[in-house]
Amino acid sequence: MASTQQLDPTGLSPHPDIAKAAALRRMKNIALALLVFMAVVFCFAFALAPRFPWLAYVRSAAEGGMVGALADWFAVTALFRYPMGLKIPHTAIIPNRKDEIGSSLAEFVETNFLSEEVVSQKLAKTQIAQKVGTWLARPESAQRVATEGAAAMRGAIAVLKDDDVKDVIESMVRKHVLEPPWGPPIGKLAERIFADGHHHSLVDLLVDRSTAWIKSNHTTISGLVSTRSPSWVPQFVDGLVGDKIYTEIHKFALAVQEDPHHEVRLKLDDYLKDLAQELQHDPAMIAKAEGIKAQVLGDPEVRELAGRTWETLKAALTDAVEDPTSELRLKFTSAVQDFGARLVSDTELAAKANKWISDAAAYLVGTYKHEITSLITDTVERWDAAETSQKIELQVGKDLQFIRINGTVVGSLAGLAIFTIATLVFH
């Protein structure tokens, strides 16, 4: 005969609900069998009591056992359904008061478990930061975090639309780069640079390069004189003038190069400082800076910049998350592991982390505990009344059948005791 026992997906063991239903049926049969046994004993004792007076004690015990069994059967059955289908008041309690039970359960959980004090005390004893740090400090754990982070990054990149990201980058560039005037901030920055003398290195570089170019381009400089002189000037005169001009230019460049306080350098400093002030306060100079900005970063250039920025960033992130040996993955893994080790070794950091976790949890519980417990209420309200009763009976019904068995035994003992005491007192 084929078995009707339902198996779990692995086919190795019975489904939990099937096993619980079988255990519940078995306990019901035991309780019923005990009631039937008491009834049979009562019948025999009642019939034979005139011939055997001592059977009166047996009859009383059996009678008490039946009363106890029936009373507890009624009590247990009244929790889940109407006894024998009779709509007796205060029966079928779970189906009829399902929503009230859900509300009471939610209130109980909210009052006794979701209080800020309870959550804070529990988290303070748990030392979550140290436990998390111990886990993160393990190389395999840090690698797992990096792997999961890479998966999340891949998912985010796949979900994001290129045009949307480009629009965001473009809007940020316009808001933070193009809309604010360039002149005042550039002038303020330049003023600090010039005041501290940081531009002198650049000036030195330009002077050195200019001097070197002049030294190595004697022919070019002399040729300029010949090209621009009148045709009637003799050629040897052009050569003499060109050599003289080259010599003077080279001498002048060397003087500027060798003297940090040369007049040209001082004049250049004054010019740059004036320029920094004009960029900040001169409307005409500020307007010129805005014009340069508009020429350099017009609408097509900004859109192209946003596109190139996103494409470069996307390609770099994709390559980094796909490659377990990439610099980004290795740095991130190392950072996670180091942070875990610090949580374990640095008591001050761990204390701050634990306090932050405790405060955050207490805030969430205090703010959203009604929403959290409403999950219980709403879920119970959605349940079908009969199905809810069946589910609860399936979970606790086996233990409740012991009440019937205990009621039978206790009823028997009580009936025997009452009959014995009454016999001793009144006879």
Side-chain angles (χ1 to χ4, degrees):
M1 184 175 183
S3 172
T4 59
Q5 189 178 44
Q6 183 177 349
L7 300 179
D8 70 358
T10 63
L12 299 178
S13 61
H15 191 278
D17 287 348
I18 299 299
K20 290 179 180 178
L24 176 60
R25 286 194 300 270
R26 184 166 58 254
M27 292 305 301
K28 284 184 176 181
N29 292 334
I30 293 174
L32 178 60
L34 192 57
L35 172 60
V36 172
F37 174 74
M38 289 296 175
V40 171
V41 170
F42 174 80
C43 291
F44 277 100
F46 186 85
L48 299 176
R51 296 175 56 187
F52 305 99
W54 60 270
L55 286 177
Y57 292 92
V58 176
R59 183 196 67 187
S60 298
E63 186 176 8
M66 286 191 298
V67 172
L70 289 173
D72 287 340
W73 166 81
F74 182 89
V76 172
T77 303
L79 290 173
F80 304 104
R81 62 187 64 85
Y82 293 114
M84 296 184 294
L86 301 175
K87 294 187 177 182
I88 303 171
H90 305 294
T91 58
I93 295 174
I94 291 177
N96 291 332
R97 303 187 62 186
K98 168 180 66 69
D99 294 344
E100 297 177 30
I101 294 173
S103 299
S104 299
L105 178 60
E107 183 179 356
F108 174 79
V109 171
E110 179 178 335
T111 304
N112 295 278
F113 295 95
L114 295 181
S115 69
E116 297 181 34
E117 183 179 358
V118 171
V119 172
S120 298
Q121 290 178 353
K122 181 62 177 178
L123 290 177
K125 296 177 182 178
T126 304
Q127 293 186 327
I128 295 178
Q130 287 85 342
K131 293 181 179 179
V132 172
T134 301
W135 186 78
L136 291 177
R138 301 171 186 163
E140 62 274 14
S141 301
Q143 185 62 45
R144 180 177 178 182
V145 172
T147 302
E148 296 298 334
M153 182 66 70
R154 284 196 298 270
I157 292 174
V159 170
L160 290 175
K161 294 182 179 180
D162 290 348
D163 290 340
D164 293 341
V165 178
K166 291 176 183 178
D167 291 340
V168 171
I169 296 175
E170 183 178 358
S171 65
M172 292 178 64
V173 170
R174 292 187 182 280
K175 180 178 180 180
H176 299 287
V177 177
L178 297 185
E179 292 181 3
W182 280 14
I186 292 177
K188 188 174 183 180
L189 178 62
E191 183 180 13
R192 293 182 58 184
I193 293 174
F194 300 153
D196 295 338
H198 296 305
H199 65 293
H200 290 157
S201 297
L202 178 61
V203 172
D204 290 341
L205 177 63
L206 292 175
V207 171
D208 291 342
R209 290 295 180 89
S210 300
T211 304
W213 184 87
I214 293 172
K215 182 179 180 181
S216 59
N217 286 272
H218 177 274
T219 304
T220 303
I221 296 174
S222 299
L224 289 174
V225 175
S226 300
T227 303
R228 297 180 178 274
S229 66
S231 57
W232 50 268
V233 176
Q235 187 174 1
F236 76 93
V237 174
D238 289 339
L240 293 175
V241 174
D243 290 340
K244 181 63 176 178
I245 291 176
Y246 168 79
T247 302
E248 293 299 326
I249 292 176
H250 188 230
K251 186 186 300 183
F252 177 78
L254 288 175
V256 174
Q257 183 183 31
E258 294 172 357
D259 185 3
H261 303 289
H262 194 278
E263 184 179 358
V264 172
R265 290 179 180 267
L266 297 178
K267 291 293 184 180
L268 180 60
D269 285 349
D270 293 339
Y271 169 77
L272 292 176
K273 290 177 181 179
D274 291 340
L275 178 62
Q277 292 297 322
E278 291 174 358
L279 284 172
Q280 297 180 71
H281 308 294
D282 185 2
M285 182 60 71
I286 294 175
K288 288 182 180 179
E290 291 300 298
I292 295 173
K293 178 181 71 176
Q295 293 177 3
V296 174
L297 292 176
D299 288 342
E301 289 79 11
V302 173
R303 187 63 182 173
E304 184 181 358
L305 174 64
R308 288 201 307 268
T309 301
W310 170 239
E311 290 171 2
T312 302
L313 181 61
K314 181 179 179 181
L317 287 176
T318 301
D319 294 341
V321 299
E322 291 290 348
D323 184 7
T325 61
S326 67
E327 188 70 16
L328 178 63
R329 285 280 293 270
L330 294 177
K331 290 287 187 183
F332 181 76
T333 304
S334 178
V336 170
Q337 195 170 351
D338 291 343
F339 179 69
R342 284 194 61 198
L343 284 176
V344 176
S345 60
D346 191 337
T347 55
E348 183 178 355
L349 176 62
K352 290 181 180 179
N354 282 326
K355 187 178 185 307
W356 182 86
I357 294 171
S358 179
D359 292 344
Y363 171 78
L364 291 174
V365 167
T367 306
Y368 300 105
K369 61 183 178 181
H370 298 297
E371 286 76 5
I372 296 172
T373 53
S374 67
L375 177 64
I376 299 175
T377 306
D378 297 342
T379 302
V380 173
E381 287 178 354
R382 288 196 301 269
W383 286 351
D384 176 73
E387 184 179 357
T388 302
S389 179
Q390 293 174 0
K391 287 180 178 294
I392 296 177
E393 184 178 14
L394 194 62
Q395 299 300 319
V396 301
K398 177 183 175 181
D399 295 326
L400 292 178
Q401 298 310 309
F402 282 105
I403 295 177
R404 295 176 56 187
I405 296 173
N406 293 336
T408 304
V409 175
V410 173
S412 299
L413 297 176
L416 178 61
I418 293 171
F419 182 78
T420 302
I421 293 172
T423 301
L424 294 174
V425 172
F426 297 107
H427 288 78

